[in-house]
Amino acid sequence: MKYRIVTFLVFGTALFFLGEQSANEHHLPFTQSLDRVWLEFCIANTSDRLTDGSVTLVRIDDTYEPALPSDELTRLDYAVILANIEKFKPQSVAIAPSLQWPETNIINQKALKTQCSKMPLLTLGAVVENSPVPDKNSDSDQYSLLANIEGDTSQITPFTRTVAYPEADSRANGRAAFTEIELSNIEENSGTLTIPLIAKHGDNIVPSFILLAIINHTKHKLENVSVQLPPAVSRGEILIGEDYVIPIDKTGRMKIYEHAAIAPPLYRTVSATELPLALSEDPSIKALQIDLEDEYQSLSNNLIVIGLDRKSDRLLALSSGDKISLSELITRSIATIQSGRFIEQWPLPGRLIGFAGIIVAALRLYQFSRWKVLIWGGLLTFLYIGGSVFVFKSSLLWTPLFTPLALFATLILIGIILPHVPSNKTTSAALESDGTSKDLS
């Protein structure tokens, strides 16, 4: 037994640290794939608690050809895209790229202004920056403000300067909010992304593009939105009426998991080039219309995000090596909030307790023969997996599966390979019993 335990502790400790390092640095493709499948399995078994997102991304991708002979998108492009979306009678529309052009460029200015006025209240993207350079743009004072704030706001991510702001014509029927805070935007750690949902501008707290788009879609007023931060509460959160409770950290950021199934079909996507095809009577287009029927229908009900999704826009690298655009990240964040996929990983103390539990199981099982180690080790593995699913369903806490599976596999292999050697007391008792029986005979 002693040799079994010592061998297991040596290999088990090495596997535990390997699993922790892989979870933090993602250098083992196998563990990434296993984590993705495992997390999707947990989510699939929590369908009663988690829903799909009600957001549709209208992608301006590489198939889109600008309306005018130019490589850059003009006001006419956005006017045409909005006109195509208007046919579906949308509930709410959010435009992620900042609708800003040089002051000397006034081409199709009236066309965009007219089309914006026909839409529901628009959420318009702006780009801000956290730098020591003073803000000389008076438009930056026209952000929506959140008034119901409790707790310490000193840690909220600040911004000091507006880099890009939508022009006045589009703001006649829209409200601006930041899509990016340059120099302090997205933080990445352990396969998660932390996204700022609120920011501090001077003494004011303003909502992000993501948060304002959801507020507009729910038709809530800003007065119905409250932000609660420590020490007023134990955990920071944003409440949008009675519709959403969004967990945030002390800096105003929300955490999303890259592989929490927050990708299509959790939310719909449609290319901007496919919008005009919806009402076409061309028989050759009918098959495509059938394939896109769900996407077209979603444009009438969902929150619509219009965003750039060309190859040159996909700059955000995920731990898997895939790259996504800012517009897709925004859509994933909105879908996370709408579906309630606020997933957290087991904290380190919890993972250590799990490791300790497996060691205790090894101490017990290594007192038995090979077959009993195999049978009970396999049973405990399934019980551990079942317990992890139960924990996820009740709390949305998950843990990578590589480490416990590797530890149980090691426990079983050592129990099979190394023979069971009875302790001295057990051997002596057996000999005495054998001697006694001989004397009696």
Side-chain angles (χ1 to χ4, degrees):
M1 174 181 169
K2 180 177 68 175
Y3 297 107
R4 285 175 161 183
I5 289 295
V6 171
T7 306
F8 175 75
L9 288 176
V10 170
F11 283 97
T13 302
L15 286 171
F16 179 80
F17 283 106
L18 176 64
E20 288 295 305
Q21 185 181 16
S22 177
N24 292 327
E25 299 181 6
H26 308 282
H27 64 284
L28 295 177
F30 168 74
T31 62
Q32 293 180 45
S33 300
L34 180 63
D35 288 347
R36 185 182 304 114
V37 172
W38 167 235
L39 187 53
E40 290 176 353
F41 175 79
C42 290
I43 291 172
N45 284 275
T46 319
S47 57
D48 56 332
R49 180 172 177 176
L50 302 176
T51 61
D52 290 343
S54 54
V55 58
T56 300
L57 173 62
V58 174
R59 298 178 292 108
I60 303 176
D61 54 21
D62 291 310
T63 66
Y64 181 82
E65 297 183 4
L68 297 178
S70 170
D71 293 334
E72 299 296 328
L73 298 178
T74 63
R75 294 181 182 87
L76 183 59
D77 290 294
Y78 288 99
V80 170
I81 292 172
L82 288 174
N84 289 326
I85 292 175
E86 183 196 358
K87 298 173 184 177
F88 296 94
K89 299 181 180 179
Q91 301 295 315
S92 61
V93 178
I95 306 174
S98 185
L99 300 182
Q100 182 187 63
W101 290 268
E103 293 183 3
T104 55
N105 185 347
I106 59 173
I107 299 175
N108 295 301
Q109 192 168 10
K110 183 177 180 181
L112 180 58
K113 180 179 180 180
T114 301
Q115 189 57 52
C116 285
S117 66
K118 297 179 180 180
M119 308 300 293
L121 182 65
L122 298 170
T123 305
L124 303 171
V127 179
V128 298
E129 185 180 64
N130 185 22
S131 74
V133 180
D135 197 341
K136 298 180 180 179
N137 188 350
S138 60
D139 286 340
S140 63
D141 295 330
Q142 298 183 25
Y143 292 108
S144 301
L145 304 180
L146 297 174
N148 299 325
I149 313 293
E150 295 183 28
D152 180 17
T153 62
S154 62
Q155 302 294 318
I156 298 296
T157 304
F159 71 87
T160 57
R161 181 172 177 267
T162 298
V163 178
Y165 197 77
E167 60 186 19
D169 288 340
S170 58
R171 284 186 285 111
N173 184 37
R175 292 189 285 185
F178 68 90
T179 57
E180 297 179 80
I181 304 180
E182 294 183 350
L183 307 184
S184 62
N185 189 27
I186 301 166
E187 295 181 358
E188 183 176 352
N189 180 35
S190 302
T192 65
L193 300 170
T194 55
I195 315 297
L197 292 187
I198 56 176
K200 180 185 289 187
H201 186 48
D203 296 328
N204 298 316
I205 303 298
V206 302
S208 69
F209 180 88
I210 295 167
L211 183 59
L212 186 60
I214 292 179
I215 294 171
N216 288 341
H217 186 62
T218 58
K219 310 302 181 185
H220 279 294
K221 296 181 179 180
L222 292 173
E223 292 77 12
N224 295 332
V225 180
S226 63
V227 178
Q228 299 180 356
L229 299 163
V233 291
S234 58
R235 184 189 71 168
E237 57 188 22
I238 299 174
L239 293 85
I240 305 178
E242 297 182 355
D243 293 319
Y244 298 109
V245 179
I246 310 169
I248 56 173
D249 61 19
K250 62 183 179 181
T251 67
R253 294 170 179 262
M254 176 186 72
K255 180 185 295 184
I256 65 171
Y257 266 87
E258 295 177 8
H259 305 298
I262 47 172
L266 173 60
Y267 62 85
R268 301 290 178 182
T269 69
V270 58
S271 171
T273 59
E274 296 168 338
L275 293 176
L277 305 178
L279 302 177
S280 175
E281 297 297 331
D282 189 337
S284 62
I285 304 297
K286 293 296 183 181
L288 182 59
Q289 290 175 340
I290 294 174
D291 292 339
L292 294 172
E293 183 176 358
D294 291 338
E295 282 73 13
Y296 288 146
Q297 185 176 357
S298 73
L299 295 171
S300 300
N301 305 312
N302 288 359
L303 191 169
I304 299 173
V305 175
I306 302 173
L308 300 174
D309 194 37
R310 301 162 298 192
K311 185 176 181 180
S312 59
D313 300 311
R314 301 185 193 115
L315 302 175
L316 178 61
L318 303 179
S319 61
S320 62
D322 297 331
K323 291 186 177 182
I324 63 174
S325 62
L326 176 63
S327 60
E328 186 173 351
L329 176 64
I330 289 171
T331 309
R332 288 188 177 204
S333 302
I334 292 173
T336 297
I337 295 171
Q338 292 175 331
S339 63
R341 294 170 191 247
F342 304 118
I343 296 170
E344 294 280 354
Q345 188 172 332
W346 285 14
L348 180 59
R351 299 196 296 274
L352 288 173
I353 291 173
F355 181 36
I358 297 175
I359 292 176
V360 172
L363 288 171
R364 180 60 179 161
L365 292 181
Y366 285 160
Q367 297 178 9
F368 303 127
S369 64
R370 290 184 173 96
W371 283 109
K372 287 186 176 180
V373 172
L374 174 62
I375 294 171
W376 284 101
L379 179 61
L380 289 176
T381 302
F382 283 108
L383 288 175
Y384 190 98
I385 293 174
S388 298
V389 173
F390 176 79
V391 170
F392 182 85
K393 292 185 68 172
S394 59
S395 64
L396 295 185
L397 289 172
W398 81 290
T399 184
L401 199 58
F402 168 76
T403 300
L405 283 184
L407 290 174
F408 276 116
T410 303
L411 184 156
I412 293 172
L413 286 174
I414 290 174
I416 294 174
I417 295 172
L418 296 182
H420 170 56
V421 180
S423 64
N424 293 333
K425 291 183 179 179
T426 305
T427 305
S428 300
L431 290 174
E432 291 176 4
S433 175
D434 184 61
T436 303
S437 62
K438 287 182 179 179
D439 292 339
L440 290 175
S441 61

